[in-house]
Coordinates of all heavy atoms in Angstrom, one line a residue:
M758 N -5.4 -25.1 14.1 CA -6.6 -24.9 14.9 C -6.3 -25.1 16.4 O -5.5 -26.0 16.7 CB -7.7 -25.9 14.4 CG -9.1 -25.4 14.7 SD -10.4 -26.5 14.1 CE -9.8 -27.3 12.7
S759 N -6.9 -24.4 17.3 CA -6.6 -24.4 18.7 C -7.0 -25.8 19.3 O -8.1 -26.3 19.1 CB -7.3 -23.3 19.4 OG -7.1 -23.4 20.8
S760 N -6.1 -26.4 20.0 CA -6.4 -27.7 20.7 C -7.1 -27.5 22.0 O -7.7 -28.4 22.5 CB -5.1 -28.4 20.9 OG -4.3 -27.7 21.7
E761 N -7.2 -26.2 22.5 CA -7.8 -26.0 23.8 C -9.3 -26.0 23.7 O -10.1 -26.1 24.7 CB -7.3 -24.7 24.5 CG -7.6 -23.5 23.6 CD -6.9 -22.3 24.2 OE1 -5.7 -22.3 24.2 OE2 -7.6 -21.3 24.5
L762 N -9.9 -25.8 22.5 CA -11.3 -25.8 22.3 C -11.8 -27.2 21.9 O -11.1 -27.9 21.3 CB -11.7 -24.9 21.1 CG -11.7 -23.4 21.3 CD1 -11.8 -22.7 20.0 CD2 -12.8 -23.0 22.2
D763 N -13.0 -27.5 22.4 CA -13.6 -28.8 22.1 C -14.0 -28.7 20.6 O -15.0 -28.0 20.3 CB -14.7 -29.1 23.0 CG -15.4 -30.4 22.7 OD1 -15.0 -31.1 21.7 OD2 -16.4 -30.7 23.4
Q764 N -13.3 -29.4 19.7 CA -13.6 -29.3 18.3 C -15.0 -29.8 17.9 O -15.6 -29.5 16.9 CB -12.5 -30.0 17.5 CG -11.1 -29.5 17.7 CD -10.9 -28.1 17.4 OE1 -11.3 -27.7 16.3 NE2 -10.4 -27.3 18.3
E765 N -15.6 -30.7 18.8 CA -16.9 -31.3 18.5 C -18.0 -30.5 19.2 O -19.2 -30.9 19.1 CB -16.9 -32.7 19.0 CG -15.9 -33.6 18.3 CD -16.1 -33.6 16.8 OE1 -17.2 -33.8 16.4 OE2 -15.1 -33.4 16.0
A766 N -17.7 -29.4 19.9 CA -18.7 -28.6 20.6 C -19.6 -27.9 19.6 O -19.0 -27.4 18.5 CB -18.1 -27.7 21.6
P767 N -20.8 -27.7 19.9 CA -21.7 -26.8 19.0 C -21.2 -25.4 18.9 O -20.6 -24.9 19.9 CB -23.1 -26.9 19.6 CG -23.0 -27.8 20.7 CD -21.6 -28.2 21.0
A768 N -21.4 -24.7 17.8 CA -20.9 -23.4 17.6 C -21.9 -22.5 16.9 O -22.8 -23.1 16.2 CB -19.6 -23.4 16.8
I769 N -21.8 -21.2 17.1 CA -22.7 -20.3 16.4 C -21.7 -19.3 15.7 O -20.8 -18.8 16.2 CB -23.6 -19.5 17.4 CG1 -24.5 -20.4 18.1 CG2 -24.4 -18.5 16.6 CD1 -25.2 -19.8 19.3
L770 N -22.0 -19.2 14.4 CA -21.2 -18.3 13.5 C -22.0 -17.1 13.1 O -23.2 -17.3 12.7 CB -20.7 -19.1 12.3 CG -20.1 -18.3 11.1 CD1 -18.8 -17.7 11.5 CD2 -19.9 -19.2 9.9
I771 N -21.5 -15.9 13.2 CA -22.1 -14.7 12.7 C -21.1 -13.9 11.9 O -19.9 -14.0 12.1 CB -22.7 -13.8 13.8 CG1 -21.7 -13.3 14.8 CG2 -23.8 -14.5 14.6 CD1 -22.2 -12.2 15.8
W772 N -21.6 -13.1 11.0 CA -20.8 -12.3 10.1 C -21.2 -10.8 10.4 O -22.3 -10.5 10.3 CB -21.0 -12.6 8.7 CG -20.7 -14.0 8.3 CD1 -21.5 -15.1 8.4 CD2 -19.4 -14.4 7.8 NE1 -20.8 -16.2 8.0 CE2 -19.5 -15.8 7.6 CE3 -18.2 -13.8 7.6 CZ2 -18.4 -16.6 7.2 CZ3 -17.1 -14.6 7.1 CH2 -17.3 -15.9 6.9
L773 N -20.2 -10.0 10.8 CA -20.4 -8.6 11.1 C -19.5 -7.8 10.3 O -18.4 -8.1 9.9 CB -20.1 -8.4 12.6 CG -21.0 -9.0 13.6 CD1 -20.6 -8.7 15.0 CD2 -22.5 -8.6 13.4
P774 N -20.0 -6.5 9.9 CA -19.1 -5.6 9.2 C -17.8 -5.3 10.1 O -17.9 -5.3 11.3 CB -19.9 -4.3 9.1 CG -21.4 -4.8 9.2 CD -21.3 -6.0 10.2
E775 N -16.7 -5.1 9.4 CA -15.5 -4.9 10.0 C -15.6 -3.7 11.0 O -16.2 -2.7 10.7 CB -14.4 -4.6 9.0 CG -13.0 -4.5 9.5 CD -11.9 -4.4 8.5 OE1 -12.3 -4.5 7.3 OE2 -10.8 -4.3 8.9
G776 N -15.1 -3.8 12.2 CA -15.2 -2.8 13.2 C -16.3 -3.0 14.2 O -16.2 -2.4 15.3
L777 N -17.3 -3.8 13.9 CA -18.3 -4.1 14.9 C -17.9 -5.2 15.8 O -17.3 -6.2 15.3 CB -19.6 -4.4 14.2 CG -20.4 -3.3 13.5 CD1 -21.7 -3.7 13.0 CD2 -20.6 -2.1 14.5
I778 N -18.3 -5.2 17.0 CA -18.0 -6.2 18.0 C -19.3 -6.7 18.5 O -20.2 -5.9 19.0 CB -17.1 -5.7 19.1 CG1 -15.8 -5.2 18.6 CG2 -16.9 -6.8 20.2 CD1 -14.9 -4.5 19.6
P779 N -19.6 -8.0 18.5 CA -20.9 -8.5 18.9 C -21.1 -8.5 20.4 O -20.1 -8.6 21.2 CB -20.9 -10.0 18.4 CG -19.4 -10.3 18.4 CD -18.7 -9.1 18.1
D780 N -22.3 -8.3 20.8 CA -22.6 -8.5 22.3 C -23.3 -9.9 22.4 O -23.5 -10.6 21.4 CB -23.5 -7.4 22.8 CG -24.8 -7.2 22.0 OD1 -25.2 -8.2 21.3 OD2 -25.5 -6.2 22.2
A781 N -23.6 -10.2 23.6 CA -24.2 -11.5 23.9 C -25.5 -11.8 23.1 O -25.7 -12.9 22.6 CB -24.5 -11.7 25.4
A782 N -26.3 -10.7 22.9 CA -27.5 -10.9 22.1 C -27.3 -11.2 20.6 O -28.1 -11.8 20.0 CB -28.4 -9.6 22.3
S783 N -26.1 -10.8 20.1 CA -25.9 -11.0 18.7 C -25.9 -12.4 18.3 O -26.3 -12.8 17.2 CB -24.5 -10.4 18.4 OG -24.4 -9.1 18.6
F784 N -25.6 -13.3 19.2 CA -25.5 -14.7 18.9 C -26.9 -15.4 19.1 O -27.0 -16.6 18.9 CB -24.5 -15.4 19.7 CG -23.1 -15.1 19.3 CD1 -22.4 -14.0 20.0 CD2 -22.5 -15.7 18.2 CE1 -21.1 -13.7 19.6 CE2 -21.2 -15.3 17.8 CZ -20.5 -14.3 18.5
T785 N -27.9 -14.7 19.5 CA -29.2 -15.3 19.7 C -30.2 -14.8 18.7 O -31.3 -15.3 18.6 CB -29.8 -15.0 21.1 OG1 -29.9 -13.6 21.3 CG2 -28.9 -15.5 22.2
V786 N -29.8 -13.8 17.9 CA -30.7 -13.2 16.9 C -30.9 -14.2 15.7 O -29.9 -14.6 15.1 CB -30.2 -11.9 16.4 CG1 -31.0 -11.4 15.2 CG2 -30.1 -10.9 17.5
K787 N -32.1 -14.6 15.5 CA -32.4 -15.4 14.3 C -33.0 -14.5 13.3 O -33.9 -13.7 13.6 CB -33.4 -16.6 14.6 CG -32.8 -17.5 15.7 CD -31.6 -18.3 15.2 CE -31.2 -19.2 16.3 NZ -29.9 -19.8 16.0
S788 N -32.6 -14.6 12.1 CA -33.1 -13.7 11.0 C -33.6 -14.5 9.8 O -33.1 -15.6 9.6 CB -31.9 -12.8 10.5 OG -32.3 -12.0 9.5
V789 N -34.5 -14.0 9.1 CA -35.0 -14.6 7.9 C -33.9 -14.6 6.8 O -33.7 -15.5 6.1 CB -36.3 -13.9 7.4 CG1 -36.9 -14.7 6.2 CG2 -37.3 -13.8 8.5
D790 N -33.1 -13.5 6.9 CA -32.0 -13.3 5.9 C -30.8 -14.0 6.5 O -30.2 -13.4 7.5 CB -31.8 -11.8 5.7 CG -30.6 -11.5 4.8 OD1 -30.0 -12.5 4.2 OD2 -30.3 -10.4 4.5
V791 N -30.4 -15.1 6.0 CA -29.3 -15.9 6.6 C -28.0 -15.0 6.6 O -27.2 -15.1 7.5 CB -29.0 -17.2 5.8 CG1 -27.8 -17.9 6.3 CG2 -30.2 -18.0 5.9
A792 N -27.8 -14.1 5.6 CA -26.6 -13.3 5.6 C -26.6 -12.3 6.8 O -25.5 -11.8 7.1 CB -26.6 -12.5 4.3
Q793 N -27.7 -12.1 7.5 CA -27.7 -11.2 8.6 C -27.9 -11.9 9.9 O -27.7 -11.2 11.0 CB -28.8 -10.1 8.4 CG -28.6 -9.3 7.1 CD -27.3 -8.5 7.1 OE1 -26.9 -8.0 8.1 NE2 -26.6 -8.5 6.0
G794 N -28.2 -13.1 9.9 CA -28.5 -13.8 11.2 C -27.4 -14.7 11.6 O -26.3 -14.7 11.1
T795 N -27.7 -15.6 12.6 CA -26.7 -16.5 13.1 C -26.8 -17.8 12.3 O -27.8 -18.1 11.7 CB -27.0 -16.8 14.6 OG1 -28.3 -17.4 14.7 CG2 -26.9 -15.6 15.4
E796 N -25.7 -18.5 12.3 CA -25.6 -19.8 11.7 C -25.2 -20.8 12.8 O -24.2 -20.7 13.3 CB -24.6 -19.9 10.6 CG -24.8 -18.9 9.4 CD -23.6 -18.9 8.4 OE1 -23.0 -20.0 8.2 OE2 -23.4 -17.8 7.9
D797 N -26.1 -21.8 13.0 CA -25.8 -22.8 14.0 C -25.0 -24.0 13.3 O -25.4 -24.4 12.3 CB -27.1 -23.4 14.6 CG -27.9 -22.3 15.4 OD1 -27.2 -21.5 16.1 OD2 -29.1 -22.4 15.4
W798 N -24.0 -24.4 14.0 CA -23.1 -25.5 13.5 C -23.1 -26.6 14.6 O -22.9 -26.2 15.7 CB -21.7 -25.0 13.2 CG -21.7 -24.1 12.0 CD1 -22.0 -22.8 11.9 CD2 -21.4 -24.5 10.6 NE1 -21.9 -22.3 10.6 CE2 -21.5 -23.3 9.8 CE3 -21.0 -25.7 10.0 CZ2 -21.3 -23.3 8.5 CZ3 -20.7 -25.7 8.7 CH2 -20.9 -24.5 7.9
P799 N -23.2 -27.8 14.2 CA -23.1 -28.9 15.2 C -21.7 -29.0 15.8 O -21.6 -29.5 16.9 CB -23.5 -30.2 14.4 CG -23.3 -29.8 13.0 CD -23.4 -28.3 12.8
H800 N -20.7 -28.6 15.1 CA -19.3 -28.7 15.6 C -18.5 -27.5 15.3 O -18.5 -26.9 14.2 CB -18.6 -29.9 14.9 CG -19.3 -31.2 15.1 ND1 -19.9 -31.8 14.0 CD2 -19.6 -32.0 16.2 CE1 -20.5 -32.9 14.5 NE2 -20.3 -33.0 15.8
F801 N -17.7 -27.1 16.3 CA -16.8 -25.9 16.1 C -15.9 -26.1 14.9 O -15.7 -25.2 14.1 CB -16.0 -25.6 17.4 CG -14.9 -24.7 17.1 CD1 -15.1 -23.3 16.9 CD2 -13.6 -25.1 17.0 CE1 -14.1 -22.4 16.7 CE2 -12.5 -24.2 16.7 CZ -12.8 -22.9 16.6
S802 N -15.3 -27.3 14.7 CA -14.4 -27.5 13.7 C -15.0 -27.2 12.3 O -14.3 -26.7 11.4 CB -13.8 -28.9 13.7 OG -14.9 -29.9 13.7
D803 N -16.3 -27.6 12.1 CA -17.0 -27.3 10.8 C -17.2 -25.8 10.6 O -17.0 -25.3 9.5 CB -18.3 -28.0 10.8 CG -18.1 -29.6 10.8 OD1 -17.1 -30.1 10.3 OD2 -19.1 -30.2 11.3
A804 N -17.6 -25.1 11.7 CA -17.9 -23.7 11.6 C -16.5 -23.0 11.3 O -16.5 -22.0 10.5 CB -18.5 -23.2 12.9
F805 N -15.5 -23.4 11.9 CA -14.2 -22.8 11.8 C -13.7 -23.0 10.3 O -13.3 -22.0 9.7 CB -13.2 -23.4 12.7 CG -11.8 -23.0 12.6 CD1 -11.4 -21.7 13.1 CD2 -10.8 -23.7 11.9 CE1 -10.1 -21.3 13.0 CE2 -9.5 -23.3 11.8 CZ -9.2 -22.1 12.3
R806 N -13.7 -24.2 9.8 CA -13.3 -24.4 8.4 C -14.1 -23.6 7.4 O -13.5 -23.0 6.5 CB -13.4 -25.9 8.1 CG -12.1 -26.7 8.5 CD -12.1 -28.1 7.9 NE -13.2 -28.9 8.4 CZ -13.1 -29.6 9.5 NH1 -12.1 -29.5 10.3 NH2 -14.1 -30.4 9.9
Y807 N -15.4 -23.6 7.6 CA -16.3 -22.8 6.7 C -15.9 -21.3 6.8 O -15.7 -20.7 5.7 CB -17.7 -23.0 7.1 CG -18.7 -22.1 6.3 CD1 -19.0 -22.5 5.0 CD2 -19.2 -21.0 6.8 CE1 -19.8 -21.7 4.2 CE2 -20.0 -20.2 6.0 CZ -20.4 -20.6 4.7 OH -21.2 -19.8 4.0
A808 N -15.8 -20.8 8.0 CA -15.5 -19.3 8.2 C -14.2 -18.9 7.5 O -14.0 -17.8 7.0 CB -15.5 -19.0 9.6
M809 N -13.2 -19.8 7.6 CA -11.9 -19.5 7.1 C -11.7 -19.8 5.6 O -10.8 -19.3 5.0 CB -10.8 -20.3 7.9 CG -10.8 -20.0 9.3 SD -10.9 -18.2 9.8 CE -9.4 -17.6 9.2
N810 N -12.6 -20.5 5.0 CA -12.4 -20.9 3.6 C -13.5 -20.4 2.6 O -13.4 -20.6 1.4 CB -12.3 -22.4 3.5 CG -11.0 -22.9 4.1 OD1 -9.9 -22.5 3.7 ND2 -11.1 -23.7 5.1
V811 N -14.7 -19.9 3.1 CA -15.7 -19.5 2.3 C -15.3 -18.2 1.5 O -14.7 -17.3 2.1 CB -17.0 -19.2 3.0 CG1 -16.9 -18.1 4.0 CG2 -18.2 -19.0 2.1
P812 N -15.5 -18.2 0.2 CA -15.2 -17.0 -0.6 C -16.1 -15.9 -0.2 O -17.3 -16.1 0.0 CB -15.4 -17.4 -2.0 CG -15.6 -18.9 -2.0 CD -16.0 -19.3 -0.7
R813 N -15.5 -14.7 0.1 CA -16.3 -13.5 0.5 C -16.1 -12.4 -0.5 O -14.9 -12.2 -1.0 CB -16.0 -13.1 1.9 CG -16.4 -14.1 2.9 CD -16.3 -13.5 4.3 NE -15.0 -12.9 4.7 CZ -14.0 -13.6 5.2 NH1 -14.1 -14.9 5.4 NH2 -12.9 -13.0 5.5
S814 N -17.1 -11.6 -0.7 CA -16.9 -10.4 -1.6 C -17.3 -9.1 -0.9 O -17.5 -8.1 -1.5 CB -17.8 -10.6 -2.9 OG -19.1 -10.7 -2.5
D815 N -17.5 -9.2 0.5 CA -17.8 -8.0 1.2 C -16.9 -7.9 2.4 O -15.9 -8.6 2.5 CB -19.3 -8.1 1.7 CG -19.6 -9.3 2.6 OD1 -18.6 -9.9 3.2 OD2 -20.7 -9.7 2.7
E816 N -17.1 -6.9 3.2 CA -16.2 -6.6 4.3 C -16.6 -7.2 5.7 O -16.1 -6.9 6.7 CB -16.1 -5.1 4.5 CG -15.5 -4.4 3.3 CD -14.1 -4.8 3.0 OE1 -13.3 -4.9 4.0 OE2 -13.8 -5.0 1.9
R817 N -17.6 -8.2 5.6 CA -18.0 -8.8 6.9 C -17.0 -9.8 7.3 O -16.3 -10.5 6.5 CB -19.4 -9.5 6.7 CG -20.5 -8.5 6.4 CD -21.8 -9.1 6.2 NE -21.7 -10.2 5.2 CZ -22.3 -11.3 5.2 NH1 -23.0 -11.7 6.2 NH2 -22.1 -12.2 4.2
L818 N -16.8 -9.9 8.7 CA -15.8 -10.8 9.3 C -16.6 -11.8 10.2 O -17.6 -11.5 10.8 CB -14.8 -10.0 10.1 CG -14.0 -9.0 9.3 CD1 -13.1 -8.2 10.3 CD2 -13.1 -9.7 8.3
P819 N -16.0 -13.1 10.3 CA -16.6 -14.1 11.1 C -16.3 -14.0 12.6 O -15.2 -13.6 12.9 CB -16.0 -15.4 10.5 CG -14.7 -15.0 10.1 CD -14.8 -13.6 9.6
W820 N -17.3 -14.2 13.4 CA -17.2 -14.3 14.8 C -17.8 -15.7 15.2 O -18.9 -16.0 14.7 CB -17.9 -13.2 15.6 CG -17.3 -11.9 15.4 CD1 -17.4 -11.0 14.3 CD2 -16.5 -11.2 16.4 NE1 -16.7 -9.9 14.5 CE2 -16.2 -9.9 15.8 CE3 -16.1 -11.5 17.6 CZ2 -15.4 -9.0 16.5 CZ3 -15.3 -10.6 18.3 CH2 -15.0 -9.3 17.7
I821 N -17.2 -16.4 16.0 CA -17.7 -17.7 16.4 C -17.9 -17.8 17.9 O -17.0 -17.4 18.7 CB -16.9 -18.9 15.9 CG1 -16.8 -18.9 14.4 CG2 -17.4 -20.2 16.5 CD1 -15.9 -20.0 13.8
Q822 N -19.0 -18.3 18.4 CA -19.2 -18.5 19.8 C -19.3 -20.0 20.1 O -20.0 -20.7 19.4 CB -20.5 -17.9 20.3 CG -20.8 -18.0 21.8 CD -22.0 -17.3 22.2 OE1 -23.1 -17.7 21.8 NE2 -21.9 -16.2 23.0
V823 N -18.5 -20.5 21.0 CA -18.5 -21.8 21.5 C -18.7 -21.8 23.0 O -17.8 -21.3 23.7 CB -17.1 -22.5 21.1 CG1 -17.1 -24.0 21.6 CG2 -16.9 -22.5 19.6
G824 N -19.8 -22.3 23.5 CA -20.1 -22.2 24.9 C -20.2 -20.8 25.3 O -20.9 -20.0 24.6
D825 N -19.4 -20.4 26.3 CA -19.5 -19.0 26.7 C -18.3 -18.2 26.1 O -18.1 -17.0 26.5 CB -19.5 -18.9 28.2 CG -18.3 -19.5 28.9 OD1 -17.5 -20.1 28.2 OD2 -18.2 -19.4 30.1
R826 N -17.6 -18.8 25.2 CA -16.4 -18.1 24.6 C -16.7 -17.5 23.2 O -17.3 -18.2 22.4 CB -15.2 -19.1 24.5 CG -14.0 -18.5 23.9 CD -12.8 -19.4 24.0 NE -11.7 -18.8 23.3 CZ -10.6 -19.5 23.0 NH1 -10.5 -20.7 23.4 NH2 -9.6 -18.9 22.3
T827 N -16.4 -16.3 23.0 CA -16.6 -15.6 21.7 C -15.2 -15.5 21.1 O -14.3 -14.9 21.7 CB -17.2 -14.3 21.9 OG1 -18.5 -14.5 22.4 CG2 -17.4 -13.6 20.5
I828 N -15.0 -16.0 19.9 CA -13.8 -16.0 19.2 C -13.8 -14.9 18.1 O -14.6 -15.0 17.2 CB -13.4 -17.3 18.6 CG1 -13.5 -18.4 19.7 CG2 -12.0 -17.3 18.0 CD1 -13.5 -19.8 19.2
S829 N -12.9 -14.0 18.2 CA -12.8 -12.8 17.2 C -12.2 -13.3 15.9 O -11.5 -14.3 15.8 CB -12.0 -11.7 17.8 OG -10.6 -12.1 17.8
P830 N -12.4 -12.4 14.8 CA -11.8 -12.7 13.6 C -10.3 -12.8 13.7 O -9.6 -13.7 13.0 CB -12.2 -11.6 12.7 CG -13.5 -11.0 13.3 CD -13.3 -11.3 14.8
E831 N -9.7 -12.0 14.5 CA -8.2 -12.0 14.6 C -7.7 -13.3 15.3 O -6.8 -13.9 14.9 CB -7.7 -10.8 15.5 CG -8.0 -9.5 14.9 CD -9.4 -9.0 15.0 OE1 -10.2 -9.5 15.8 OE2 -9.8 -8.1 14.2
E832 N -8.5 -13.7 16.3 CA -8.1 -15.0 16.9 C -8.3 -16.2 16.0 O -7.5 -17.1 15.9 CB -8.9 -15.2 18.2 CG -8.5 -16.4 19.0 CD -9.2 -16.5 20.3 OE1 -10.0 -15.7 20.7 OE2 -8.9 -17.5 21.0
L833 N -9.4 -16.1 15.2 CA -9.6 -17.2 14.2 C -8.5 -17.3 13.2 O -8.0 -18.3 12.9 CB -10.9 -17.0 13.5 CG -12.2 -17.2 14.3 CD1 -13.4 -16.6 13.5 CD2 -12.4 -18.6 14.7
R834 N -8.0 -16.1 12.8 CA -6.9 -16.1 11.8 C -5.6 -16.7 12.4 O -4.9 -17.4 11.8 CB -6.6 -14.6 11.3 CG -7.5 -14.2 10.2 CD -7.0 -13.0 9.5 NE -7.1 -11.8 10.4 CZ -8.1 -11.0 10.5 NH1 -9.2 -11.2 9.8 NH2 -8.1 -9.9 11.3
R835 N -5.4 -16.3 13.7 CA -4.2 -16.9 14.4 C -4.3 -18.4 14.5 O -3.3 -19.2 14.4 CB -4.0 -16.3 15.8 CG -3.4 -14.9 15.8 CD -3.0 -14.4 17.1 NE -4.0 -14.4 18.1 CZ -4.9 -13.4 18.4 NH1 -4.8 -12.3 17.7 NH2 -5.8 -13.6 19.3
M836 N -5.5 -18.9 14.8 CA -5.7 -20.4 14.9 C -5.5 -21.0 13.5 O -5.0 -22.2 13.4 CB -7.2 -20.7 15.3 CG -7.5 -20.3 16.7 SD -9.3 -20.7 16.9 CE -9.4 -20.4 18.7
Y837 N -5.8 -20.3 12.4 CA -5.8 -20.9 11.1 C -4.4 -20.9 10.5 O -4.0 -21.7 9.8 CB -6.7 -20.0 10.2 CG -6.9 -20.6 8.8 CD1 -7.6 -21.8 8.6 CD2 -6.3 -20.0 7.7 CE1 -7.8 -22.3 7.3 CE2 -6.5 -20.5 6.4 CZ -7.2 -21.6 6.2 OH -7.4 -22.2 5.0
A838 N -3.6 -19.9 10.9 CA -2.2 -19.7 10.4 C -1.4 -20.9 10.8 O -1.3 -21.2 12.0 CB -1.6 -18.4 10.8
P839 N -0.7 -21.6 9.8 CA 0.2 -22.7 10.2 C 1.3 -22.2 11.1 O 1.9 -21.1 10.8 CB 0.7 -23.2 8.9 CG -0.3 -22.7 7.9 CD -0.8 -21.4 8.4
R840 N 1.7 -22.9 12.1 CA 2.7 -22.4 13.0 C 4.1 -22.3 12.3 O 4.8 -21.4 12.7 CB 2.8 -23.4 14.2 CG 1.6 -23.5 15.0 CD 1.9 -23.0 16.4 NE 0.7 -23.3 17.3 CZ -0.1 -22.3 17.6 NH1 0.0 -21.1 17.2 NH2 -1.2 -22.5 18.4
G841 N 4.3 -23.1 11.4 CA 5.6 -23.0 10.7 C 5.8 -21.8 9.8 O 6.9 -21.4 9.4
H842 N 4.7 -21.0 9.6 CA 4.8 -19.8 8.8 C 4.8 -18.5 9.6 O 4.7 -17.4 9.0 CB 3.7 -19.8 7.7 CG 3.8 -20.9 6.8 ND1 2.9 -21.9 6.6 CD2 4.8 -21.2 5.9 CE1 3.3 -22.8 5.7 NE2 4.4 -22.4 5.2
E843 N 4.8 -18.6 10.9 CA 4.8 -17.4 11.7 C 6.1 -16.7 11.6 O 7.2 -17.3 11.6 CB 4.4 -17.8 13.2 CG 3.0 -18.2 13.4 CD 2.7 -18.6 14.8 OE1 3.7 -18.6 15.6 OE2 1.6 -18.9 15.1
L844 N 6.1 -15.4 11.6 CA 7.3 -14.6 11.6 C 7.7 -14.3 13.0 O 6.9 -14.1 13.9 CB 7.1 -13.3 10.9 CG 6.7 -13.4 9.4 CD1 6.4 -12.0 8.8 CD2 7.8 -14.1 8.6
N845 N 9.0 -14.3 13.3 CA 9.6 -14.0 14.6 C 9.9 -12.6 14.7 O 10.4 -11.9 13.8 CB 10.8 -14.9 14.9 CG 10.3 -16.3 15.1 OD1 9.2 -16.6 15.4 ND2 11.3 -17.2 14.8

């Protein structure tokens, strides 16, 4: 996990179909259907662990916003991958 992010900062997690990129409004939409809306997390570290470990059966990918930074699924995967297993 990235050390440059404040692990205790509040975060917002959304799930979008592969290929979609969220805009600023995407993180403010509250939906009655939790699967389509935002999920507020008290700490980035909790949202990150959940996003990387929850079993999924669809093509939606996690995006996390911390402060004014939006973290893509690709960046989340790089944060999750243990450094010792990276290929050169």
Side-chain angles (χ1 to χ4, degrees):
M758 206 178 329
S759 176
S760 60
E761 63 191 58
L762 283 171
D763 179 359
Q764 303 300 310
E765 298 301 311
I769 301 171
L770 170 64
I771 61 172
W772 297 89
L773 295 177
E775 189 170 355
L777 287 184
I778 298 173
D780 59 14
S783 300
F784 290 95
T785 61
V786 175
K787 300 294 182 193
S788 175
V789 185
D790 179 3
V791 175
Q793 299 301 319
T795 60
E796 299 175 33
D797 294 326
W798 289 82
H800 304 111
F801 167 73
S802 58
D803 296 332
F805 176 79
R806 274 193 294 279
Y807 176 77
M809 301 314 294
N810 292 300
V811 66
R813 294 192 307 269
S814 60
D815 60 21
E816 297 298 319
R817 293 178 308 138
L818 299 174
W820 290 79
I821 297 178
Q822 184 177 63
V823 179
D825 61 356
R826 181 173 174 189
T827 299
I828 306 168
S829 71
E831 294 79 17
E832 188 175 357
L833 291 169
R834 279 193 292 272
R835 284 192 303 271
M836 290 175 172
Y837 188 73
R840 299 242 185 258
H842 295 117
E843 290 179 356
L844 298 175
N845 294 332

